[in-house]
Amino acid sequence: MFGTRHSSSLKLARLVEIITRIFSEKKLKVAVFLDVAKAFDTIWIDGLLYKLTLLKFPPYIVYTITLYLRSRTSFRRGMRAGVAQGGLISPVLFSLYVSNMPSPSHHVKLALYADDTAITATSRKPTLLVSYLEPFLNELQRWLSERRITIVSKNTALIFMRAGRRFIEPLPVTIFGEPIEWVDRTRYLGVTLDTRVTRSPHIDQVRKRTAQRMGMLAPSSISDLSFSNGVLLHKQLIRPMMDYACPAWRAAARSHVRRLQVLQTQCLRLAISALWYVTGRYTRTWVFHCLPTTSEP
């Protein structure tokens, strides 16, 4: 995580690829999604500095990081935990702090990105999925306790399976004595995942958020906003929501993607004040080919 050319979209695309691959093998895959409470604020400073020493960082780097962390104060008291939110080296320090997280077994995989953690297991039987997960969750619980990292209570577990497959829901797995709820869909790194990996719930969420933001484009239809500024407004307000993590959901059925395309055309018409007789196809061609600063999605 936080590596060069690595992003949440890449992590999501890899996770979705792993999930869909087991469908052809007629197996089940379970994923437990954990969320760390205030990840950067819970980093134990003394533990982090000790970890840097164990990793044999040069003394001058450890000293510089010590001054950087110790100089932060709260109510005239030195900070004993946490790194600066938004700091350039904060993601790197967090990665170093959790670098020795317990390694999963052969049947369990770990997908970690900042404070969002996905633990997956694969098997043909639901009961085996739970038996694979429980030992690793117990070991992970001990590791989190030693490093004073807490888990929020909104953890979820989801079983991915191909269409038509039925099974009896297994007993819930637990962490810190709290059962993790089995759900039909969940949100991970900003993308909604469902048991069939249809991507339809995520597209529904994107459409809902986009429709709410369309109101910000409405004033442009009655103002003197230029064509290029209208398109720029669309690219800043609408396109980021539609494009986010597209490698993870672009393989959705054409009917689902078509719903996004229709909504995008409506937003474009609103942004450039297109007249009623201008077709949607002409609007998209006009926008994405006439302006050199834009590109076709």
Side-chain angles (χ1 to χ4, degrees):
M1 63 178 179
F2 301 120
T4 304
R5 298 184 179 180
H6 286 69
S7 63
S8 58
S9 298
L10 178 60
K11 178 66 68 174
L12 282 164
R14 292 182 61 184
L15 179 62
V16 171
E17 180 186 1
I18 293 173
I19 293 171
T20 54
R21 190 185 306 163
I22 60 101
F23 288 171
S24 59
E25 301 174 358
K26 299 181 180 180
K27 294 181 179 180
L28 299 173
K29 178 174 284 292
V30 65
V32 176
F33 299 94
L34 305 178
D35 192 6
V36 178
K38 299 180 181 180
F40 285 9
D41 293 336
T42 57
I43 295 179
W44 182 28
I45 294 179
D46 289 338
L48 174 61
L49 297 176
Y50 178 69
K51 182 68 176 297
L52 296 178
T53 304
L54 292 179
L55 293 175
K56 298 182 179 180
F57 272 67
Y60 69 91
I61 293 182
V62 177
Y63 178 73
T64 302
I65 294 177
T66 302
L67 293 179
Y68 169 72
L69 296 176
R70 297 297 187 190
S71 62
R72 300 174 60 238
T73 59
S74 176
F75 300 103
R76 298 182 180 180
R77 292 185 179 182
M79 299 290 291
R80 300 181 60 184
V83 295
Q85 293 284 348
L88 292 178
I89 66 172
S90 295
V92 178
L93 295 177
F94 180 81
S95 299
L96 293 171
Y97 187 64
V98 299
S99 61
N100 63 338
M101 183 173 288
S103 300
S105 62
H106 174 69
H107 299 283
V108 179
K109 303 295 182 182
L110 180 64
L112 182 66
Y113 192 88
D115 57 342
D116 293 301
T117 304
I119 305 168
T120 63
T122 306
S123 178
R124 296 183 184 274
K125 298 180 180 180
T127 53
L128 290 178
L129 294 175
V130 175
S131 64
Y132 292 154
L133 285 173
E134 285 182 338
F136 178 73
L137 288 176
N138 292 333
E139 185 178 0
L140 179 62
Q141 176 179 322
R142 291 192 295 270
W143 184 86
L144 292 172
S145 300
E146 292 174 356
R147 281 148 187 83
R148 305 180 184 181
I149 300 176
T150 58
I151 300 292
V152 297
S153 58
K154 58 179 181 179
N155 306 307
T156 56
L158 185 65
I159 295 182
F160 298 96
M161 56 186 174
R162 61 186 304 175
R165 178 72 184 271
R166 298 182 181 277
F167 63 92
I168 300 176
E169 186 175 284
L171 296 175
V173 292
T174 61
I175 186 167
F176 291 104
E178 296 290 335
I180 300 176
E181 180 185 5
W182 294 107
V183 296
D184 295 329
R185 64 182 61 177
T186 190
R187 191 173 178 85
Y188 178 66
L189 293 179
V191 172
T192 303
L193 302 174
D194 62 306
T195 57
R196 316 292 184 187
V197 200
T198 62
R199 288 89 167 180
S200 178
H202 174 70
I203 292 178
D204 290 339
Q205 291 293 329
V206 173
R207 283 175 50 85
K208 181 179 179 180
R209 294 197 302 269
T210 302
Q212 294 173 348
R213 191 167 290 187
M214 283 178 64
M216 303 177 67
L217 299 176
S220 64
S221 60
I222 58 176
S223 65
D224 297 329
L225 195 66
S226 65
F227 174 85
S228 59
N229 287 337
V231 176
L232 180 62
L233 191 63
H234 171 268
K235 291 173 63 178
Q236 294 293 327
L237 298 178
I238 303 299
R239 284 297 296 273
M241 292 190 301
M242 290 188 170
D243 288 346
Y244 174 71
C246 61
W249 58 261
R250 189 59 182 87
R254 289 187 178 182
S255 59
H256 299 324
V257 179
R258 174 64 179 170
R259 288 185 294 154
L260 276 183
Q261 184 65 63
V262 171
L263 185 59
Q264 178 180 243
T265 301
Q266 295 174 357
C267 295
L268 282 173
R269 294 177 62 88
L270 191 61
I272 66 176
S273 303
L275 299 177
W276 64 269
Y277 54 79
V278 179
T279 64
R281 177 175 297 181
Y282 183 75
T283 301
R284 294 192 300 271
T285 303
W286 195 15
V287 170
F288 293 115
H289 290 284
C290 292
L291 291 181
T293 58
T294 61
S295 59
E296 181 115 14

